[in-house]
Amino acid sequence: MASTPRNPQRGSSRVLGDLTVAQWIGSVVLLSAAALVLAVFVVLIARVLVSLGPFRDFLVAYPGTYALPDVAPVGIPAWLGWQHFLNSLFLLLVIRSGLQFRRQKRPDAFWSPRGNKRRRISLALWFHQAIDVLWMANGVVYVVLLFATGQWMRIVPTSWEVFPNAVSAALQYAALDWPTENGWVNYNSLQQLSYFAITFVAAPLAIVTGVRLSGVWPKGAERLNRLFPAEWARRIHFPVMLFFVVFIAVHVFLVLATGALRNLDHMYAARGSVDPDAFAADPTGLLLFAASLLVMAAAWIAARPSLLIPVARLFGDVKQR
């Protein structure tokens, strides 16, 4: 008698693929423990290095920052705070919708353009692409204003000294002897390189690969498809998203750990001074940050089929299962 192939059913204990809740918890605990051990090891090595004479001399020569051009603006304008919030909101929803689409097996609904009902995509993919458009539009406005106001000099390196200073800042962070900084005036070189990479490398990569995988890419362009295969785009797009997630986690941690009230005042309230201690106890930025978190949490909860379907119907036809 032939054996019947086993087809395990997905029970309520299975989430995010083939792992159970217990397996996910165990994996998180193990990874967290490994990360903690690695972090302790890195800190110990860094503290040994910065105690050595050559490295001490290096930190003196390159303290972690270099002087910006004399015409560089001082301060963070209010428009940059709004751009930061909108970018955070859209990026959060891009990540949420991307993960939802990636792990979705049976879409709840499908969206089609009114003029082409044969082109059908899942509601999750439609939402992902719609938020992508908003994120890109916000990014274009940000880059235009960045160069129009001179704020670009704060995140685009203007000296080769950025590289040794970035190494110095990394050593200081790793040794838990964090560099003295005042983002109102100048970012340290590691921050500058990170912001440059996220704005002018990671974001364009996410956009180009996303367009390649979307329905707007011309299907009949054989030569173009050979030059940029869809498989390449898939292999790049997801790691870029993971890079954004890691960047956000590290960025938020350092903002809160290196003077939360002062840093949040800079970015959310456009309040600051050349004196780094001037707004060290002002809660305005913290309150605005808390309000922004509530908005983002509400947007996360609202991004569900029951609320997305009426919105999607404004731009096309929606067919539910």
Side-chain angles (χ1 to χ4, degrees), residues 36-266:
L36 180 60
V37 171
L38 179 61
V40 171
F41 180 75
V42 170
V43 169
L44 291 176
I45 294 296
R47 293 188 71 85
V48 169
L49 290 177
V50 299
S51 68
L52 302 177
F55 284 91
R56 288 201 304 269
D57 296 340
F58 175 78
L59 295 180
V60 172
Y62 300 101
T65 59
Y66 65 92
L68 297 180
D70 294 337
V71 294
V74 175
I76 298 176
W79 67 262
L80 190 55
W82 276 103
Q83 287 288 313
H84 183 269
F85 163 68
L86 290 174
N87 182 68
S88 302
L89 174 63
F90 293 147
L91 192 56
L92 176 73
L93 294 177
V94 165
I95 293 171
R96 185 198 193 285
S97 58
L99 290 174
Q100 181 182 9
F101 167 71
R102 188 177 177 87
R103 68 172 182 258
Q104 193 173 56
K105 302 298 182 183
R106 291 174 58 84
D108 300 297
F110 293 91
W111 178 89
S112 301
R114 288 196 177 93
N116 184 12
K117 292 188 177 181
R118 289 188 300 175
R119 183 196 162 207
R120 191 175 72 162
I121 60 176
S122 70
L123 181 67
L125 180 57
W126 172 84
F127 180 54
H128 184 65
Q129 294 180 353
I131 293 297
D132 280 342
V133 172
L134 294 176
W135 179 62
M136 287 188 289
N138 185 68
V140 169
V141 173
Y142 168 70
V143 171
V144 169
L145 291 175
L146 203 65
F147 284 95
T149 61
Q151 287 286 331
W152 66 270
M153 285 178 278
R154 293 166 55 85
I155 68 169
V156 176
T158 57
S159 169
W160 290 107
E161 291 185 8
V162 67
F163 295 107
N165 275 295
V167 173
S168 172
L171 274 174
Q172 293 175 65
Y173 279 125
L176 300 184
D177 185 17
W178 292 346
T180 301
E181 59 189 42
N182 183 4
W184 187 257
V185 178
N186 190 4
Y187 297 125
N188 70 54
S189 293
L190 189 60
Q191 287 177 301
Q192 188 180 57
L193 288 178
S194 299
Y195 299 155
F196 175 84
I198 206 77
T199 303
F200 298 106
V201 179
L205 276 176
I207 292 169
V208 171
T209 55
V211 169
R212 176 63 182 92
L213 297 172
S214 72
V216 302
W217 185 267
K219 292 182 172 59
E222 295 182 3
R223 184 177 180 182
L224 192 59
N225 292 340
R226 286 196 302 269
L227 290 174
F228 190 18
E231 186 59 31
W232 288 9
R234 291 190 188 95
R235 291 179 179 180
I236 296 172
H237 197 69
F238 187 66
V240 168
M241 188 212 69
L242 294 180
F243 174 76
F244 273 104
V245 172
V246 172
F247 171 84
I248 292 169
V250 174
H251 176 63
V252 171
F253 170 75
L254 289 178
V255 164
L256 298 178
T258 59
L261 293 181
R262 180 189 62 214
N263 293 333
L264 293 174
D265 264 343
H266 293 173

Side-chain angles (χ1 to χ4, degrees), residues 294-310:
L294 291 177
V295 172
M296 288 190 282
W300 181 283
I301 295 170
R304 57 182 61 188
S306 59
L307 296 179
L308 290 178
I309 287 174

